[in-house]
Amino acid sequence: MATSFDRSQPLGGLPPKHIMEGEYNPTIKDLITKEDALETIKRAFEDNLKKNANLVRISAPLFVQKTSGFNDNLNGTERPATFAPRDFPGTKLEVPFSLAKWKRWALYYYGIPEEKGIVTDFRGLRCDDDVDYTHSLYVDQWDWEKHITPEDRNMEYLQNTVKGIYKAVYDTEQLVGEKYGIKPQLPAEITFVSSDDLIKEHPTATPKERENIVCEKYGAVFLMGIGGLKADGTLRHDGRAPDYDDWITERPDGGHGLNGDILVWNPILKQSFELSSMGIRVDPATMEKQLEICECEDRKKMAWHQLLLDGTLPQSIGGGVGQSRLCQYMLRCAHIGEVQYGWYNPEEVEILKTKNIKLLGRGFSFQNDQTQDEKKE
């Protein structure tokens, strides 16, 4: 999702002006009731996701070895949280940004047959994420991957898969609305939009502005074609690593890329809101082309990349659905910190308290004292 974080502002992580200047009333005020709602959302969505996409849940790693190439490189500039075991100081372990590449290996490791897949309860850290009302250093998501055939690498298969994922979201919102009295907002069907077409229609708009325009119009969209460069050398819409999603294959609609984002219109924030990033994964030929475009051909020496290039890893489609992001949307929260324990700018935390926006576990005096101690050091 194109970020709303404004680095030029000292308090750039606060929610939009209309929330900060208005009267925000949480849909669920009692903490225990909120925890019950969070559990309801997570259980219901995971069950719906497994049913709609034919997935089975498996275990997931909290860290991977740096030399394995298993970590998701995101845009290629983010720092992973890294550490070394006490007795093996020369071994570097990383907390994954996501399991985008690990999951494809897991399909092979578990012997998952074609048209069946896996889903994990992923927890990770993103040290360089912009910390604001929709982004956190802590990442929790349903990371899923499905074994497909080479013939499935097409736009129709992608769109049919998206419809199943979106139905899991839609059905979960219906359940939450009935149980907690929160009016559902999502349309029954998702609309497919090409990022290439959006750029042509709104050439001077920023990526976030384009997302806002199309999400407000349709309510829920799958924005196809994320990653790669425009003719002028700038990002087409947003960044994607060159070694998991396919963002160069030409589609029948004239656009490029067999990937995209599920975006919805957030009625509280009054802006587009990303729930999922997903796509058909690279085959050996596509990965080689994308690595060359991104000048990352040295990655081909890594273990994971060797497994893909020699045909060991299966063809697949996969993605991630943010758990806290989905809960924030379902419970109509102004800040992601209302549904997860994270760390946020202490000044912003205090301001948010005065606006009736209370972040889980934040804003206590001992935490503020700790922050002051850190400043002294």
Side-chain angles (χ1 to χ4, degrees), residues 79-353:
R79 299 170 302 150
T82 306
F83 67 99
R86 182 194 61 192
D87 297 330
F88 299 88
T91 298
K92 300 300 181 184
L93 303 177
E94 297 179 344
V95 178
F97 295 125
S98 83
L99 297 178
K101 289 188 281 190
W102 180 89
K103 293 175 298 179
R104 194 165 178 179
W105 169 84
L107 290 177
Y108 160 73
Y109 178 73
Y110 283 93
I112 303 297
E114 292 175 353
E115 305 307 329
K116 191 172 182 64
I118 57 173
V119 62
T120 70
D121 181 11
F122 169 71
R123 311 299 170 94
L125 296 173
R126 295 187 179 179
C127 307
D128 288 340
D129 254 19
D130 294 323
V131 180
D132 62 14
Y133 56 95
T134 62
H135 294 80
S136 172
L137 301 177
Y138 167 61
V139 183
D140 55 347
Q141 65 183 31
W142 292 279
D143 247 327
W144 64 274
E145 199 81 10
K146 187 174 182 179
H147 186 172
I148 64 175
T149 69
E151 293 73 28
D152 292 330
R153 299 189 75 258
N154 58 69
M155 188 173 79
E156 181 181 8
Y157 192 92
L158 172 67
Q159 291 184 339
N160 286 336
T161 303
V162 169
K163 290 176 183 178
I165 306 299
Y166 179 72
K167 188 177 188 307
V169 175
Y170 177 83
D171 289 346
T172 301
E173 188 190 37
Q174 295 296 310
L175 172 66
V176 171
E178 182 177 350
K179 184 172 181 179
Y180 298 101
I182 301 172
K183 183 180 178 181
Q185 298 287 329
L186 294 173
E189 303 291 336
I190 192 168
T191 299
F192 292 88
V193 178
S194 167
S195 64
D196 302 274
D197 290 342
L198 270 188
I199 291 171
K200 293 176 184 177
E201 293 171 11
H202 308 284
T204 62
T206 66
K208 184 62 181 179
E209 289 169 344
R210 291 195 293 269
E211 289 181 2
N212 287 340
I213 291 168
V214 73
C215 285
E216 186 172 17
K217 180 178 180 180
Y218 295 111
V221 304
F222 183 70
L223 187 59
M224 293 186 293
I226 307 294
L229 303 177
K230 295 187 293 185
D232 63 3
T234 59
L235 278 176
R236 179 169 41 153
H237 184 79
D238 199 358
R240 279 291 196 280
D243 41 12
Y244 59 99
D245 281 357
D246 178 337
W247 37 261
I248 61 172
T249 294
E250 186 171 1
R251 303 188 306 267
D253 64 357
H256 290 80
L258 297 175
N259 69 347
D261 292 338
I262 294 178
L263 306 169
V264 299
W265 180 251
N266 189 307
I268 298 299
L269 300 177
K270 296 182 180 179
Q271 63 184 37
S272 65
F273 195 76
E274 181 187 325
L275 297 180
S276 176
S277 170
M278 59 175 288
I280 290 176
R281 306 310 196 187
V282 292
D283 59 14
T286 304
M287 184 179 75
E288 291 208 73
K289 291 179 184 177
Q290 293 185 174
L291 287 174
E292 181 181 356
I293 291 171
C294 295
E295 299 180 346
C296 297
E297 292 176 280
D298 57 315
R299 293 187 194 174
K300 289 192 287 185
K301 300 175 184 177
M302 291 183 165
W304 184 90
H305 298 74
Q306 288 292 311
L307 290 172
L308 178 60
L309 291 170
D310 69 16
T312 299
L313 301 183
Q315 299 299 306
S316 66
I317 184 173
V321 181
Q323 294 183 17
S324 292
R325 191 75 66 78
L326 183 67
C327 290
Q328 181 184 359
Y329 174 80
M330 294 286 177
L331 299 183
R332 310 294 186 252
C333 295
H335 197 290
I336 195 169
E338 295 177 80
V339 297
Q340 69 155 230
Y341 280 87
W343 182 93
Y344 309 94
N345 183 335
E347 290 184 66
E348 292 182 359
V349 171
E350 293 304 311
I351 294 172
L352 291 169
K353 284 167 58 179

